[in-house]
Amino acid sequence: MKNSRKNKNYQPITQLIRKSSLYFITVFIIFICIGILTTVSPAYRFSSHILTNWTSKVESSTFIYLLGMENKAFKEAYPKDKPMPNLSTTFFELITSIKPNDARSLLRNEIPGFSIYDQQILIAGEGTDFTNLPIESSPPLEDVLEDREAIMDEEMDEGVNEQPDIEGRPSTGKRNVVFIYNTHNRESFLPSLPGVTDPDSAHHHEVNVTKISERIVKSLKKQGIGAVADKTDHMQVLNERGWKYPQSYKASREVVANVLEENKDYKYVFDIHRDSLGRDKTTKKINGKSYAKVMFVVGAEHEKHEKNLKFASELHYILEEKYPGLSRGVYPKKGKGTNGVFNQDLSEQAILIEFGGVENNWDELNRTADALAEVFSEFYWDAEKVSKEKKEGK
């Protein structure tokens, strides 16, 4: 009897010792893990980028489901037509980056170059697939800055005359609402560069994509929309600062940020580029005339990208309606090897436009510039009409 009483008396003490030991061991392990994580080489540390990559592989509905297990209010937000997530499958995907229902996830890390098929195309235009997406080239800056002979076609600046305001026609007046710039401002076209056959060498200090920007501005003004084309030579800025070609967006960002800060009238921002693909992928014949096709590229690694995607999608659909096949689609771009932002976090209505390809000529480029200005003006005046009606309470 006495022994049993003693055992009962010691039980609380024993439990306390066990719990204290477990607590001590847990704290000790935590300190060891923290020490490892803070002293290990930076290359092997967990970073926000790694965690972002991990969590981006999990569908957002799964997070809502997990939160709903703790707070019933979140269950109301879970899509009713969506089956409950398989947590074991989700955990497997998170650890291995392999999706059982997607063979691409198994092959992307094993076959060189296969990762391009892991990209997302929000809207695929005519002929667009994973084999002909825009590629962000990165030529040596010295090659970009090299002096080359170029042909200045007279028709480059013909066809559009700025018209004065016509009574009854809508106009932004003295306000400029569109800002156009060229991050890779020396991108040029092989038909204008005698003797140049390598697409990576298609650069010129004067005959380049800035001419497209100027053409769009003239066409927009004809539609009563005030616009400005930036003339900054970002390639020269890179050279003066000792920066490399991949830092082009860093250079152009300074210009765009300053312009938008100084002029609040700018509501739309276009960054005009030229793709490196051949004319068979970048040319469309409409009503017997050849046009340079365009693709709308949206950086998907910033918070405002969904609004930019919406803007790009609306332009795509209007362009498809008026000029079928002219748009290659809408491409949200992110991941390794790309900028992923393209300065589009500075505006909710900013897009990058791949304008034609390296083999397109100026007739084709000008036709598309005029077509894009026409389509944008339709979008702009419709948006202004809706905005006005909302203010008037209609």
Side-chain angles (χ1 to χ4, degrees):
M1 279 302 276
K2 290 182 178 180
N3 288 335
S4 62
R5 287 179 179 176
K6 286 182 179 179
N7 289 336
K8 288 182 179 180
N9 292 332
Y10 284 123
Q11 279 181 358
I13 299 176
T14 303
Q15 291 178 357
L16 179 62
I17 292 174
R18 287 177 179 174
K19 290 181 179 180
S20 299
S21 299
L22 182 61
Y23 176 77
F24 176 77
I25 292 171
T26 302
V27 172
F28 180 74
I29 292 174
I30 291 174
F31 272 103
I32 292 295
C33 291
I34 292 174
I36 292 173
L37 291 174
T38 54
T39 58
V40 73
S41 172
Y44 300 103
R45 291 180 189 172
F46 284 101
S47 65
S48 59
H49 179 70
I50 293 174
L51 294 175
T52 299
N53 283 340
W54 279 359
T55 55
S56 66
K57 297 179 177 66
V58 181
E59 290 189 18
S60 57
S61 59
T62 302
F63 290 109
I64 295 176
Y65 176 78
L66 293 174
L67 290 170
M69 295 174 67
E70 298 296 328
N71 187 332
K72 293 183 178 180
F74 285 98
K75 287 187 176 180
E76 298 297 325
Y78 192 84
K80 294 181 179 180
D81 59 341
K82 195 172 184 67
M84 296 299 176
N86 188 320
L87 296 183
S88 60
T89 301
T90 300
F91 183 73
F92 177 78
E93 293 178 4
L94 191 63
I95 297 300
T96 64
S97 297
I98 296 175
K99 296 182 179 180
N101 297 325
D102 188 354
R104 294 178 303 173
S105 63
L106 179 63
L107 300 174
R108 77 165 73 93
N109 296 325
E110 304 300 326
I111 303 177
F114 194 85
S115 58
I116 187 174
Y117 296 99
D118 200 37
Q119 298 291 325
Q120 176 191 11
I121 304 174
L122 182 67
I123 304 174
E126 180 183 293
T128 298
D129 55 38
F130 291 107
T131 65
N132 53 33
L133 292 175
I135 298 175
E136 198 168 355
S137 60
S138 184
L141 184 59
E142 52 269 25
D143 290 352
V144 176
L145 296 172
E146 182 180 335
D147 286 335
R148 296 179 176 88
E149 180 186 355
I151 299 173
M152 290 286 291
D153 294 334
E154 292 182 2
E155 61 267 24
M156 285 174 60
D157 295 318
E158 292 180 354
V160 175
N161 296 316
E162 295 181 31
Q163 298 180 0
D165 289 340
I166 300 175
E167 187 176 351
R169 186 189 71 180
S171 172
T172 61
K174 295 182 179 180
R175 292 186 304 116
N176 293 315
V177 297
V178 180
F179 180 71
I180 305 177
Y181 70 106
N182 308 91
T183 294
H184 297 154
N185 62 283
R186 294 201 180 194
E187 288 179 331
S188 189
F189 303 87
L190 293 177
S192 296
L193 304 172
V196 179
T197 57
D198 182 5
D200 289 337
S201 298
H203 295 87
H204 195 267
H205 70 280
E206 187 175 0
V207 183
N208 51 48
V209 290
T210 60
K211 296 292 184 182
I212 298 174
S213 298
E214 293 171 3
R215 177 79 176 204
I216 296 173
V217 166
K218 289 182 178 180
S219 296
L220 286 175
K221 288 183 177 180
K222 184 179 179 181
Q223 301 289 341
I225 299 174
V228 169
D230 181 61
K231 299 183 182 299
T232 305
D233 186 349
H234 299 293
M235 300 300 102
Q236 189 59 40
V237 172
L238 294 180
N239 187 46
E240 292 171 356
R241 298 183 180 181
W243 292 357
K244 302 298 184 182
Y245 191 80
Q247 294 174 287
S248 300
Y249 290 100
K250 182 179 178 181
S252 63
R253 185 180 184 84
E254 294 180 8
V255 174
V256 178
N258 289 335
V259 166
L260 295 183
E261 179 64 28
E262 293 173 359
N263 191 336
K264 301 300 182 182
D265 287 334
Y266 287 123
K267 302 299 181 184
Y268 301 90
V269 181
F270 298 156
D271 186 4
I272 306 298
H273 289 244
R274 176 268 294 153
D275 206 343
S276 297
L277 293 174
R279 65 176 293 109
D280 59 321
K281 300 292 193 303
T282 63
T283 311
K284 175 66 179 179
K285 184 163 285 190
I286 303 174
N287 296 328
K289 295 182 179 181
S290 292
Y291 290 75
K293 299 180 74 172
V294 297
M295 173 164 269
F296 302 103
V297 179
V298 176
E301 294 184 19
H302 63 93
E303 294 179 355
K304 296 179 182 177
H305 79 276
E306 290 187 358
K307 293 184 178 180
N308 291 332
L309 280 174
K310 181 177 182 295
F311 172 45
S313 300
E314 290 176 344
L315 287 185
H316 163 81
Y317 286 121
I318 301 174
L319 196 60
E320 276 297 282
E321 183 180 352
K322 287 185 168 293
Y323 299 89
L326 189 56
S327 173
R328 293 166 58 196
V330 180
Y331 177 29
K333 202 168 183 181
K334 62 179 180 178
K336 294 182 179 179
T338 186
N339 179 274
V341 178
F342 308 118
N343 302 328
Q344 293 170 6
D345 58 324
L346 298 174
S347 171
E348 295 180 353
Q349 296 176 117
I351 51 176
L352 184 157
I353 306 177
E354 293 285 355
F355 221 96
V358 70
E359 295 178 345
N360 284 110
N361 60 51
W362 286 103
D363 281 342
E364 297 160 345
L365 295 165
N366 284 341
R367 289 191 190 105
T368 301
D370 297 342
L372 181 65
E374 177 191 343
V375 164
F376 174 78
S377 67
E378 180 176 322
F379 165 85
Y380 178 81
W381 292 121
D382 284 347
E384 287 293 291
K385 181 180 179 181
V386 171
S387 177
K388 183 178 180 181
E389 289 177 351
K390 284 184 178 180
K391 290 180 181 179
E392 295 175 350
K394 292 184 179 180

